[in-house]
Amino acid sequence: MSSRTLMRSAGLVVLAAVAAGCSSPGNPGSGLPTSAGAPASTSAAAALPHSGAPKVANPLPSTILDSSPCDGGLTGDQLNEIIGQAPQGSPDTKSSLGPSCTWINSVKGSYVDVAYDTKSDDGLSSWYANTKPKSVVWKESEVLGFPSVAHVTQSSDSPDEFCQVTIGINDQRTVDVSIGLSTAKKGTVDPCYVANVAAQRVMTNLKHKAGS
C-alpha cells in the first residue's frame, strides 16, 4: 500500500541505466505509490505550519496544480531519464487527496508517480502529523529550495525498492513523487535518490509554469 493510500484511509541527473531499472508495480491500481497524499486535515483551524513541519519561504500559487499531473508533470525526456521509457501516463482522479498520474516501464517493471494534493489544506503539516509517526524512512531535505521529505511507511512497498518524496509548494499544498524500482535494481540503487531526482524535474516544470 502506498503512502498516499495510507493517508487516504487515515482521514519517483538519473540516467536511464539507473532509473530505467526503476519493483514491479504489480497492479497499478492498488499498491502503487500514487504519491503520498496527506491524510485529512489534522486541524482545519490550526495555524500553518504545525507538527514540526517547515514553513515554505518562497511559495508557489496553488493554481499551478489545477491541471492533471499527466499534463506536463514530467516531459518525455524526463521520463526517459527516470524510468528509461516515456509511456503514456495513467491518470487517477478518484483519490480523496487530488489527481495523480503514473508512468510504467512495462519492460523493466519500474514506475514513477506524480500527484497533486489539492484537497487537503494542511500541506506538509499533515504529513508530519500523520505519516512521520508511521514511517520506517523519513529524510527531510529540500527540492529546488522547497521543503521536502522522502519517506516510506510500514505499509508501503519495501524501502529498498520504493520511496516517495513530498514537497511543500506552499503551506497548504504538496506535490508527491513516488518511485518503484525494478527487481534488477532492487537493493543496488537507493529509490529515495531516484525519487529526489524525479521530484527536481517535476518542480522545475511547476516553477516554469508559475513563471519563476
Side-chain angles (χ1 to χ4, degrees), residues 119-134:
K119 298 181 181 180
S120 168
D121 293 323
D122 272 3
L124 277 176
S125 297
S126 188
W127 291 95
Y128 274 71
N130 298 283
T131 301
K132 184 177 181 179
K134 304 171 184 176

Side-chain angles (χ1 to χ4, degrees), residues 35-59:
S35 295
S41 297
T42 305
S43 173
L48 296 175
H50 61 74
S51 302
K55 185 171 184 61
V56 181
N58 298 294

Side-chain angles (χ1 to χ4, degrees), residues 94-108:
K94 297 180 180 179
S95 171
S96 61
L97 300 167
S100 68
C101 188
T102 304
W103 295 267
I104 301 173
N105 183 326
S106 57
V107 175
K108 300 287 187 178

Side-chain angles (χ1 to χ4, degrees), residues 1-8 12 23 30-39 95 97-102 111-117 123-124 126-128 130-132 135-143 147-168 174-181 190-200 202:
M1 180 186 294
S2 72
S3 295
R4 202 166 202 244
T5 302
L6 172 66
M7 306 291 272
R8 183 189 310 140
L12 306 66
S23 103
S30 54
L32 212 76
T34 36
S35 295
S95 171
L97 300 167
S100 68
C101 188
T102 304
Y111 64 88
V112 58
D113 182 273
V114 177
Y116 299 159
D117 297 333
L124 277 176
S126 188
W127 291 95
Y128 274 71
N130 298 283
T131 301
K132 184 177 181 179
S135 295
V136 294
V137 174
W138 184 265
K139 302 176 181 178
E140 298 174 5
S141 187
E142 289 187 349
V143 174
S148 68
V149 59
H151 54 93
V152 181
T153 63
Q154 295 172 349
S155 59
S156 295
D157 292 334
S158 173
D160 63 354
E161 61 184 347
F162 167 74
C163 186
Q164 180 170 296
V165 174
T166 298
I167 312 107
T174 57
V175 170
D176 312 308
V177 182
S178 303
I179 280 289
L181 297 176
D190 180 3
C192 287
Y193 169 73
V194 183
N196 269 295
V197 172
Q200 290 174 21
V202 172

Side-chain angles (χ1 to χ4, degrees), residues 10 26 29 67 90 92 109 117 124 129 134 161 182 200 205-206:
S67 61
S90 176
D92 178 5
D117 297 333
L124 277 176
K134 304 171 184 176
E161 61 184 347
S182 69
Q200 290 174 21
N205 298 338
L206 288 175

